[in-house]
Amino acid sequence: MKIVFLVEQLINSGPENVVFNICSCLDRSNYQPVVFSLRRKSERNSIESKFDSLSIDIVHFNFSTIDLELKTKKVSKEIEKKYIEVGGDLLHVHCYHPQLIAQYLKKCRTMVTLHNISGEDFILKKGKVFGHYMKWRYDRALSHIDCVVAISDYMQLYYSEMCRNIYKVPNGVHYRKDDSFDSLSFRNTLGIGPDKKVILVTGTLSERKNVGFLLSEIKQSDKDFICFILGEGNKTDECKAIVEGDNRFRFEGFKNNVQDYLNIADLYISASQSEGLPMSVLEALNMGVPCLLSSIPPHKEIQSNMNVKGVDCFNLKNGALLEIFDKQYSLQFDNSTIAEKANSLYSANAMATQYELLYDDLKKIE
């Protein structure tokens, strides 16, 4: 069965990494993945080499934003033509523009994995006017797609009335604790001692990720720690201003070795205002890192499913994060228990197995 994955561009981002994790775990004796990228290869943050290592064919289309946004039907004809040419059995699309295109594909069996809550994410990212426009187009496309996959209970409920068929498959990741990793050496490269408590924050510094609130809260703590912030965004300067003069906070920018930081992390924190099912949290949990998470529905779902000590939620109100942070600071958690439970729920293998079942069911439908 040839599965054609349609993505905007193969860059180091959550949805594209989900596609890679699915591809890397598929039973290649039964499924042949091909990737269609709507844009040419990125010069920055490309993950195409990861797909090359799996001998997966990548087809580039080199469309512009104007093409994708205003000439969607015309683009869909080119996609459909190439899909037929490569002998596709199912088109599995991810994210906004691929989803808009999929609604016009009459000769393709289509599946979409939803990564966004349209009424939250688009508006937080693009503003009220363009955000509502994106939501309208995104939601309208769903009724024309054969199979819709939500990545969390909250997302499945949110979209249930817009879709003909909606299922749930949680995201999954490859990350596992590396016992051979030289933590002391890595700490030395970062200039921190072996006993310094490490707090980790990752992701785009944006309004949706709410890192400014996070930093303003834990800055008030009198605890001795080092907090690494991995990522950049339009809120970078604002976040730096919040912690100016406090040398416990270090902005590292985008990093390709997040797993190294997770290997030495004592605590991972996310204060996001909206998420689908965050890959960064799942990566931390699969590494056995305790997590403090904002009490948005997907985070609360993770906490409930994990049901282990070391995964807690806090309200997004002043003082709530600070209180739970100070309480957790000196506690000890069973990292192995966290990792084992996360691996059973949120591993790449578990995710791919569920997708294989859906692929097979769709193949049976004439």
Side-chain angles (χ1 to χ4, degrees):
M1 187 176 184
K2 184 168 286 188
I3 313 296
V4 178
F5 293 89
L6 180 64
V7 300
E8 184 114 8
Q9 193 172 34
L10 286 175
I11 57 174
N12 189 17
S13 184
E16 288 74 16
N17 283 314
V18 167
V19 172
F20 173 76
N21 289 344
I22 296 171
C23 290
S24 64
C25 294
L26 286 177
D27 179 358
R28 296 293 285 275
S29 65
N30 291 321
Y31 309 95
Q32 181 183 351
V34 177
V35 176
F36 284 5
S37 174
L38 293 174
R39 300 180 187 271
R40 65 176 137 188
K41 183 175 181 179
S42 172
E43 298 300 321
R44 184 172 182 265
N45 291 329
S46 173
I47 58 170
E48 293 200 11
S49 61
K50 294 167 65 174
F51 288 84
D52 291 338
S53 70
L54 298 176
S55 299
I56 294 174
D57 291 334
I58 302 170
V59 179
H60 296 95
F61 288 89
N62 198 24
F63 293 119
S64 68
T65 299
I66 291 175
D67 292 331
L68 299 175
E69 195 63 48
L70 302 180
K71 303 176 183 178
T72 315
K73 286 186 179 181
K74 182 178 179 181
V75 169
S76 70
K77 291 179 181 179
E78 293 190 46
I79 298 297
E80 189 167 71
K81 180 181 178 182
K82 192 65 177 180
Y83 172 87
I84 294 169
E85 183 181 311
V86 302
D89 294 297
L90 174 69
L91 188 78
H92 189 172
V93 306
H94 296 256
C95 292
Y96 176 73
H97 285 123
Q99 185 165 311
L100 301 189
I101 291 164
Q103 69 180 308
Y104 299 116
L105 302 176
K106 306 303 182 185
K107 299 178 182 179
C108 306
R109 186 165 291 141
T110 53
M111 171 190 284
V112 60
T113 293
L114 301 165
H115 295 278
N116 300 96
I117 300 295
S118 59
E120 298 174 4
D121 298 354
F122 297 151
I123 294 165
L124 283 169
K125 187 175 181 179
K126 298 294 186 179
K128 289 185 178 181
V129 176
F130 195 65
H132 278 293
Y133 162 79
M134 289 177 66
K135 169 181 162 43
W136 171 71
R137 293 199 71 188
Y138 189 83
D139 294 352
R140 190 178 66 164
L142 290 175
S143 63
H144 301 282
I145 295 174
D146 297 319
C147 177
V148 177
V149 178
I151 57 178
S152 67
D153 290 336
Y154 177 59
M155 185 176 284
Q156 187 173 22
L157 179 62
Y158 180 89
Y159 286 108
S160 59
E161 294 183 2
M162 306 177 199
C163 312
R164 288 180 286 177
N165 298 294
I166 186 166
Y167 305 89
K168 190 186 84 164
V169 178
N171 286 341
V173 300
H174 278 296
Y175 280 35
R176 294 287 281 172
K177 187 78 171 180
D178 182 3
D179 293 331
S180 65
F181 182 76
D182 190 344
S183 296
L184 184 58
S185 176
F186 186 60
R187 282 175 170 268
N188 287 338
T189 65
L190 297 173
I192 58 174
D195 300 319
K196 178 72 74 172
K197 181 151 289 199
V198 173
I199 313 301
L200 191 60
V201 178
T202 66
T204 305
L205 303 187
S206 63
E207 182 178 359
R208 183 168 72 93
K209 294 295 185 180
N210 207 22
V211 177
F213 168 82
L214 186 164
L215 298 178
S216 65
E217 284 284 299
I218 65 173
K219 181 187 177 183
Q220 299 175 62
S221 174
D222 61 1
K223 306 299 184 184
D224 182 27
F225 60 84
I226 184 77
C227 177
F228 291 105
I229 301 101
L230 310 186
E232 297 174 353
N234 60 9
K235 296 289 185 179
T236 298
D237 291 341
E238 180 181 312
C239 289
K240 288 181 177 180
I242 288 171
V243 299
E244 186 175 7
D246 191 333
N247 59 14
R248 294 177 298 176
F249 297 89
R250 283 176 45 178
F251 292 83
E252 302 285 281
F254 284 113
K255 291 290 182 181
N256 292 321
N257 62 330
V258 174
Q259 193 165 1
D260 293 344
Y261 287 85
L262 286 169
N263 265 301
I264 65 168
D266 296 289
L267 182 65
Y268 181 91
I269 308 179
S270 171
S272 286
Q273 299 185 72
S274 178
E275 291 284 359
L277 195 71
M279 297 283 282
S280 56
V281 173
L282 304 187
E283 289 165 354
L285 292 172
N286 272 271
M287 295 281 287
V289 181
C291 291
L292 285 181
L293 310 171
S294 54
S295 56
I296 58 175
H299 283 166
K300 291 169 73 173
E301 179 181 335
I302 291 172
Q303 179 192 29
S304 176
N305 289 342
M306 286 290 294
N307 193 27
V308 295
K309 292 181 179 179
V311 184
D312 292 289
C313 290
F314 57 88
N315 294 323
L316 288 173
K317 61 181 183 180
N318 292 337
L321 172 54
L322 174 62
E323 181 180 358
I324 195 170
F325 175 78
D326 280 345
K327 284 182 179 178
Q328 274 211 7
Y329 182 85
S330 300
L331 297 179
Q332 297 293 320
F333 300 103
D334 189 336
N335 302 88
S336 296
T337 297
I338 294 172
E340 288 170 9
K341 187 63 177 287
N343 191 246
S344 69
L345 296 169
Y346 302 118
S347 70
N349 277 318
M351 174 181 63
T353 297
Q354 292 182 71
Y355 274 114
E356 287 179 350
L357 294 173
L358 284 179
Y359 295 157
D360 290 344
D361 286 344
L362 283 171
K363 189 176 182 180
K364 296 172 186 174
I365 300 172
E366 296 297 334

